[in-house]
Amino acid sequence: MIIDKHLILQLQEETQSLHPASFLQYFVERFEQICFTTSFGIEDQWITHLIGQHQLPVKIATIDTGRLFESTYSVYQKTLETYSVQIETIMPDSAAVTEFTSKHGPNAIYESTQHRKTCCTLRKLNPLGRILSPMQIWIVGLRADQSSSRAAMNRVVWDERYQVIKISPLFNMTRDEIWRKIQQYKVPYNELHDQGFMSIGCAPCTRAVLPGAPERSG
């Protein structure tokens, strides 16, 4: 299959009105190399629920950066116990992380923006690249209302960095709508969401969001 702008436009047009489960089914029927990367936030948990509920042949992967919250590991375990899915855990390159930490210290991310970006590259972006390199489709939990930049995106886009089609099944849903689904179907979720955390990544780089602040400010 040739992936070009015409294909992307076709995919956008044919899937724009599909609800999330049908949206995922559409891509499962047309592509073989499909991966969903989860960090176990509520959006990702609802996508995992849909994949498990409909037994979709989608590879699920997560990146253990080595700096995650303990509650993230807890919801990871609960997810495995709740759904008949496998979640592949990808680790950063140990030699690269060891070299960086030995040279700059365990809390170098607080010293400079460059250290923070390097840490993220080593612990998250490089492992993500390893996951996505053989993939055609990358499923993510983006929503249009998370930020103005994301609102300007599309449900189906070409990711230039990873050379993969990136799809967002929940793009048109609001956070409140997803929360209602999580509660209705008793989907496991990270307890930090109850403490004001909107999105949850590495512990040193994530904080609760103040009332009225943009969702991605955490």
Side-chain angles (χ1 to χ4, degrees):
M1 178 181 293
I2 299 175
I3 299 177
D4 56 21
K5 64 178 182 180
H6 300 293
L7 175 61
I8 300 299
L9 289 173
Q10 177 187 341
L11 296 175
Q12 291 174 348
E13 182 179 353
E14 293 182 357
T15 63
Q16 61 181 345
S17 62
L18 298 179
H19 62 74
S22 297
F23 179 86
L24 289 170
Q25 187 65 47
Y26 173 95
F27 285 93
V28 164
E29 292 174 354
R30 288 162 177 78
F31 296 88
E32 294 183 358
Q33 301 301 322
I34 305 179
C35 181
F36 166 51
T37 53
T38 177
S39 57
F40 304 101
I42 61 167
E43 293 84 4
D44 291 345
Q45 288 299 93
W46 182 241
I47 293 174
T48 298
H49 173 88
L50 294 175
I51 291 173
Q53 182 185 47
H54 297 280
Q55 298 183 322
L56 299 177
V58 171
K59 175 179 179 176
I60 305 177
T62 191
I63 300 170
D64 185 348
T65 64
R67 302 299 297 268
L68 301 179
F69 289 95
E70 184 60 36
S71 59
T72 300
Y73 295 110
S74 296
V75 74
Y76 182 172
Q77 185 64 42
K78 290 178 182 176
T79 301
L80 292 175
E81 295 168 356
T82 302
Y83 301 102
S84 297
V85 297
Q86 290 185 336
I87 302 177
E88 181 178 348
T89 302
I90 308 298
M91 304 287 190
D93 179 82
S94 59
V97 172
T98 296
E99 180 181 358
F100 175 80
T101 305
S102 299
K103 184 176 181 180
H104 301 289
N107 291 323
I109 59 171
Y110 300 116
E111 297 176 359
S112 72
T113 300
Q114 185 55 53
H115 284 342
R116 187 162 61 252
K117 289 181 177 180
T118 300
C119 183
C120 188
T121 297
L122 295 176
R123 293 180 180 274
K124 180 180 178 181
L125 300 183
N126 289 349
L128 179 59
R130 298 204 312 269
I131 296 171
L132 297 178
S133 61
M135 295 296 158
Q136 299 170 298
I137 302 294
W138 176 22
I139 303 170
V140 297
L142 299 184
R143 302 191 334 269
D145 68 348
Q146 286 175 321
S147 67
S148 57
S149 62
R150 293 187 176 183
M153 294 174 60
N154 198 291
R155 207 176 182 191
V156 181
V157 299
W158 173 252
D159 190 281
E160 190 65 33
R161 177 170 191 161
Y162 294 111
Q163 296 290 292
V164 68
I165 299 172
K166 183 164 64 175
I167 65 172
S168 305
L170 311 185
F171 190 75
N172 297 320
M173 295 183 69
T174 67
R175 185 177 182 84
D176 287 343
E177 287 173 333
I178 295 172
W179 260 120
R180 287 196 291 270
K181 295 290 188 182
I182 293 291
Q183 294 167 346
Q184 178 182 356
Y185 291 91
K186 297 181 172 55
V187 178
Y189 69 89
N190 197 318
E191 62 184 20
L192 290 176
H193 287 306
D194 294 330
Q195 301 173 31
F197 286 75
M198 294 291 193
S199 59
I200 302 168
C202 291
C205 302
T206 311
R207 61 180 174 83
V209 174
L210 297 174
E215 182 173 331
R216 296 295 296 171
S217 66

